[in-house]
Amino acid sequence: MKAFKTVTSIPTPFPRVNVDTDVIIQGQFLKTIKRTGLGVHAFNSIRYDREGNHIPDNIFDRVPYNSASILVAGDNFGCGSSREHAPWAIGDMGYRCVIAPSFADIFAGNCAKNGIVTVCLPQEQIDILVAEGQAEREITVDLEEKTVTIEGDKQFSFDYNAVHRHMLLNGLDEIGQTLQSDAAITAYENERRLVTPWLFSE
Amino acid sequence: MTQTMYDKIWHHHVVEERGDGVALLYIDRQIIHEVTSPQAFEGLRLANRKLRRRDANIAVPDHNVPTKNRHLPNPDPSSKEQLETLEQNVDAFDVNYIPMDDIRQGIVHVVGPEQGITQPGITMVCGDSHTSTNGAFGALAFGIGTSEIEHAFATQTLVLKKSKSMRVKIEGTLPFGCSAKDMALAVIGKLGTAGGTGYVIEYAGSMVEGLSMEGRMTLCNMSIEAGARAGMVAPDETTFNYIKGRPFAPKGGQWNAAVAYWKSLVSDEGANFDKEVTLTQDDIVPLVTWGTSPEDVIPVTAEIPAPSSFADPNKQVAAEASLDYMGLAAGTPMQEVSVDRVFVGSCTNSRIEDLRQAAAMIKGRKISESVKEAIIVPGSGLVKHMAEEEGLDKLFIEAGFEWREPGCSMCLAMNPDKAGPGEHVASTSNRNFVSRQGPGARTHLVSPAMAVGAAIAGHFVDVRNY
């Protein structure tokens, strides 16, 4: 996983509430066996009309947001499916960070495992960041300091899951880390085999 | 110290505490399907890793499988590739597999319980958010992403932060004309789609205790639609009777030990929940969604709400966008909304009891000529067989429904079953998201009885008068 320390970008303002995983990546695009190449299909219903024609001035493809790496979103972002295709698609578009008042649990976890930071801030601060995006001004997200900075103006602090932060800052392979606990897992299994033998057929 | 059922199951599975509520949690069972697993298997292959426990995993194809003409080549090359990739992966990694031509094949969340794979007290994961269905047995069951699938494959654990707990009590007797689906929609209407974020829900109360296992699965299935990580119901005699004798159920002398263990899991008297919500039987009426979020739910007897009726300005904007997408005007009585297609199926409502409720609405009537297509998709080959033994298939076919092979089908339209742009669908599935059932399709979530009522009338009807 790519390590994350800071990212600076003009944020894409997209403050819609309850943006679900079908909005992020529609079901018809899940028929892939790869993690890459989903960016072109992301936010399909916003970037393309009902006949499938590209809407040129949509928020995601318009300059300067077409090269943004921060997305500012509305409440309950990423609700719906557990499909990791959603963060893959957002990452493939170039986003490294999504800022919203709240995120669906599974989506936030999936983002962390793909080097995308999900920052929760209160609605008043989101409104300010949306305005910054609309004014085409850059903001900086710093995971080490857990801050969002508007250059020469305000700074907002956020909380972040300590385990995810450590993984993200260091770009660690979570499976590799867990395998270091192999002895503890085996010890657990041996005990569990005695308590609930019916869950082990081999 | 008193504990909730969630506390107990969590503590029984902690391999290592990592501080700040985070633990390395042991995973007892993983179920696998073709959509979210290929990249996880690829990850194992690239890192030269194996499955830690072969017997803890089982795979079944469901999302992409066609529901008719299965003997013909799959019409969609990318669906075909995903299905073939699953076969290659289960072969290469030696995973238990139920192939498409096996009578046990079906939707993972129907197959798991049906085979006795789902049991009280276990931790169970799947790359699918509706894994919450399995919580009906008093299991901690939840959806995970593909990176976590790979993690569970390689380590039989996940690194997780413990959720908060919420008890949702539903008291009273299930009212006439209503089902567990109406209970689920009522809960989401009350909590909102973010109301359960950060929580695991335990459903309790007399109406929940009175439900069959099928009903409890429907209720737990939609927990994720309220934002909750998982939903659970305490195991009881209904649970034990359902599990007994199933292929993966504890056998012989282990059965009594298992039941004793399962009984110990229920929440202690006076256990502390972070949040408590109560619904009564007055809250449970036949419900329909009007918008593009499962929280956009109203009684079938009500009118479509005006965006201005919502206090939150963000919700007003969302409601306007929803009505525009759905092609509906505020103030229209729900019963005047006509339907183009009807879908009875999905991991929410494709079990034998759902099909019985659907069939009971037919009473010799036929579907409306204005309905383009009405399909019944059983949740598994075994459900299909059972329904045929009971003669339900004949009732459906005579009324004008199509009787299909099992799979996820038009719940998310990854197979050829889709609704067209602008078409209104009465659907027993779980999500009415934009384009969920096909690009431009307009989904209304309802119970099986309400779906059949809409098929017969050509528009939504109050099944209590039907």
Side-chain angles (χ1 to χ4, degrees):
Chain A
M1 189 175 72
K2 208 169 148 190
F4 185 110
K5 290 205 165 50
T6 69
V7 61
T8 299
S9 162
I10 296 171
T12 307
F14 186 59
R16 192 200 280 199
V17 297
N18 295 336
V19 169
D20 59 66
T21 46
D22 280 59
V23 169
I24 299 170
I25 185 83
Q26 262 172 36
Q28 56 184 308
F29 305 115
L30 304 186
K31 294 188 228 187
T32 171
I33 57 168
K34 300 283 169 205
R35 286 181 165 90
T36 51
L38 287 164
V40 290
H41 303 304
F43 299 105
N44 189 270
S45 61
I46 287 139
R47 297 163 72 195
Y48 299 87
D49 66 19
R50 279 172 204 176
E51 281 70 50
N53 304 307
H54 187 238
I55 304 164
D57 68 339
N58 78 78
I59 190 76
F60 295 103
D61 296 325
R62 192 193 306 165
V63 175
Y65 309 119
N66 59 345
S67 56
S69 44
I70 302 171
L71 179 65
V72 183
D75 207 12
N76 196 28
F77 188 82
C79 58
S81 164
S82 63
R83 58 181 73 153
E84 200 158 312
H85 306 69
W88 294 337
I90 288 175
D92 208 42
M93 291 173 89
Y95 289 107
R96 299 292 319 275
C97 175
V98 187
I99 309 177
S102 70
F103 294 89
D105 291 335
I106 304 177
F107 176 81
N110 283 340
C111 279
K113 296 186 194 321
N114 287 279
I116 299 172
V117 171
T118 49
V119 173
C120 282
L121 290 176
Q123 187 67 51
E124 316 83 82
Q125 296 178 0
I126 295 290
D127 293 343
I128 293 167
L129 296 175
V130 166
E132 288 300 304
Q134 285 162 344
E136 303 187 2
R137 282 193 291 263
E138 284 187 339
I139 62 170
T140 297
V141 177
D142 186 329
L143 184 61
E144 212 144 26
E145 300 297 324
K146 295 188 281 183
T147 55
V148 178
T149 307
I150 299 169
E151 217 51 59
D153 192 3
K154 298 182 177 63
Q155 193 170 63
F156 307 135
S157 297
F158 60 88
D159 282 333
Y160 204 79
N161 177 312
V163 175
H164 287 163
R165 181 163 165 269
H166 179 70
M167 305 288 304
L168 280 160
L169 286 173
N170 298 293
L172 297 174
D173 165 16
E174 193 176 42
I175 297 176
Q177 293 277 102
T178 301
L179 287 173
Q180 292 177 10
S181 299
D182 188 61
I185 299 170
T186 301
Y188 175 90
E189 268 172 351
N190 290 339
E191 202 186 311
R192 184 118 177 110
R193 209 180 268 274
L194 298 176
V195 181
T196 58
W198 57 87
L199 293 175
F200 294 80
S201 64
E202 285 170 5
Chain B
M1 202 182 82
T2 59
Q3 289 183 305
T4 67
M5 176 166 52
Y6 174 51
D7 291 332
K8 292 180 188 181
I9 298 175
W10 177 273
H11 289 311
H12 288 175
H13 287 86
V14 172
V15 174
E16 274 178 1
E17 295 281 4
R18 297 268 171 96
D20 197 22
V22 176
L24 185 65
L25 204 74
Y26 194 75
I27 301 302
D28 293 312
R29 293 267 191 264
Q30 177 157 221
I31 38 181
I32 303 155
H33 62 80
E34 77 279 13
V35 180
T36 54
S37 68
Q39 298 86 349
F41 281 115
E42 187 195 26
L44 285 185
R45 213 176 259 123
L46 290 173
N48 199 22
R49 287 172 179 146
K50 297 181 299 187
L51 291 191
R52 184 177 174 93
R53 265 187 66 195
R54 184 188 166 280
D55 64 336
N57 296 278
I58 187 159
V60 56
D62 59 4
H63 284 56
N64 285 276
V65 297
T67 57
K68 57 181 180 183
N69 298 326
R70 284 208 186 160
H71 58 288
L72 297 176
N74 194 310
D76 182 333
S78 39
S79 286
K80 184 165 176 276
E81 186 185 26
Q82 267 191 346
L83 291 165
E84 286 174 354
T85 303
L86 181 66
E87 293 205 343
Q88 288 156 10
N89 285 329
V90 297
D91 210 34
F93 290 89
D94 195 22
V95 180
N96 290 313
Y97 185 52
I98 299 178
M100 206 160 75
D101 59 3
D102 190 308
I103 192 170
R104 298 168 301 161
Q105 182 272 336
I107 306 170
V108 284
H109 311 308
V110 176
V111 172
E114 200 168 65
Q115 292 302 313
I117 294 164
T118 311
Q119 294 174 16
I122 65 168
T123 48
M124 184 174 196
V125 294
C126 173
D128 190 295
S129 57
H130 293 109
T131 309
S132 61
T133 311
N134 299 280
F137 291 79
L140 176 60
F142 51 91
I144 56 174
T146 299
S147 298
E148 289 183 312
I149 298 176
E150 188 183 335
H151 195 281
F153 277 164
T155 71
Q156 209 56 49
T157 63
L158 289 175
V159 180
L160 291 167
K161 188 169 166 67
K162 191 166 182 240
S163 301
K164 290 178 284 184
S165 62
M166 183 190 308
R167 180 158 58 189
V168 174
K169 278 188 179 172
I170 314 177
E171 301 288 1
T173 311
L174 188 62
F176 169 74
C178 298
S179 71
K181 182 61 163 289
D182 298 299
M183 293 166 67
L185 289 169
V187 170
I188 297 158
K190 179 139 182 160
L191 293 178
T193 48
T197 302
Y199 291 92
V200 163
I201 295 176
E202 179 176 339
Y203 297 98
S206 49
M207 201 184 294
V208 176
E209 288 161 18
L211 288 175
S212 64
M213 287 317 295
E214 283 83 354
R216 294 177 190 184
M217 283 187 253
T218 300
L219 182 61
C220 289
N221 171 275
M222 292 192 72
S223 304
I224 185 72
E225 260 50 77
R229 195 71 202 264
M232 316 171 90
V233 176
D236 59 10
E237 290 303 321
T238 304
T239 321
F240 311 146
N241 290 337
Y242 181 99
I243 298 171
K244 195 163 193 182
R246 293 186 184 264
F248 285 78
K251 301 271 182 315
Q254 290 186 352
W255 173 258
N256 290 339
V259 172
Y261 174 63
W262 296 342
K263 283 182 174 169
S264 75
L265 299 169
V266 301
S267 292
D268 296 329
E269 192 74 37
N272 179 51
F273 290 84
D274 296 301
K275 189 172 174 180
E276 297 249 18
V277 175
T278 303
L279 285 81
T280 69
Q281 68 183 45
D282 294 340
D283 297 312
I284 313 301
V285 294
L287 294 165
V288 188
T289 61
W290 55 268
T292 57
S293 167
E295 71 184 25
D296 299 337
V297 65
I298 51 170
V300 68
T301 50
E303 292 174 354
I304 290 165
S308 59
S309 65
F310 297 95
D312 178 349
N314 289 323
K315 289 249 165 98
Q316 291 178 7
V317 174
E320 260 169 49
S322 277
L323 290 179
D324 178 50
Y325 178 80
M326 295 296 286
L328 294 171
T332 308
M334 198 68 227
Q335 296 189 70
E336 286 178 14
V337 176
S338 57
V339 285
D340 304 293
R341 279 175 206 267
V342 175
F343 169 59
V344 176
S346 87
C347 58
T348 318
N349 280 132
S350 64
R351 296 176 189 82
I352 189 66
E353 190 178 282
D354 302 312
L355 301 188
R356 286 180 192 142
Q357 286 170 8
M361 280 297 292
I362 292 176
K363 301 173 188 159
R365 294 174 293 202
K366 297 213 181 298
I367 65 170
S368 166
E369 283 181 8
S370 64
V371 172
K372 283 183 196 163
E373 185 183 68
I375 63 174
I376 312 273
V377 185
S380 73
L382 289 167
V383 169
K384 182 170 189 260
H385 177 72
M386 214 185 313
E388 287 171 353
E389 292 273 292
E390 296 177 18
L392 303 184
D393 58 325
K394 289 191 185 63
L395 294 175
F396 289 128
I397 293 164
E398 279 163 18
F401 288 92
E402 286 184 45
W403 179 243
R404 298 287 187 90
E405 300 290 333
C408 297
S409 180
M410 212 165 68
C411 175
L412 82 172
M414 284 190 71
N415 75 342
D417 306 342
K418 288 178 180 49
E423 290 180 353
H424 288 264
V425 190
S427 177
T428 67
S429 59
N430 37 54
R431 287 189 177 140
N432 50 346
F433 295 163
V434 166
S435 295
R436 173 84 177 174
Q437 296 194 280
R442 295 162 169 167
T443 301
H444 301 270
L445 304 176
V446 287
S447 71
M450 287 285 287
V452 170
I456 291 164
H459 55 86
F460 290 103
V461 291
D462 185 347
V463 291
R464 292 171 299 189
N465 311 323
Y466 214 63

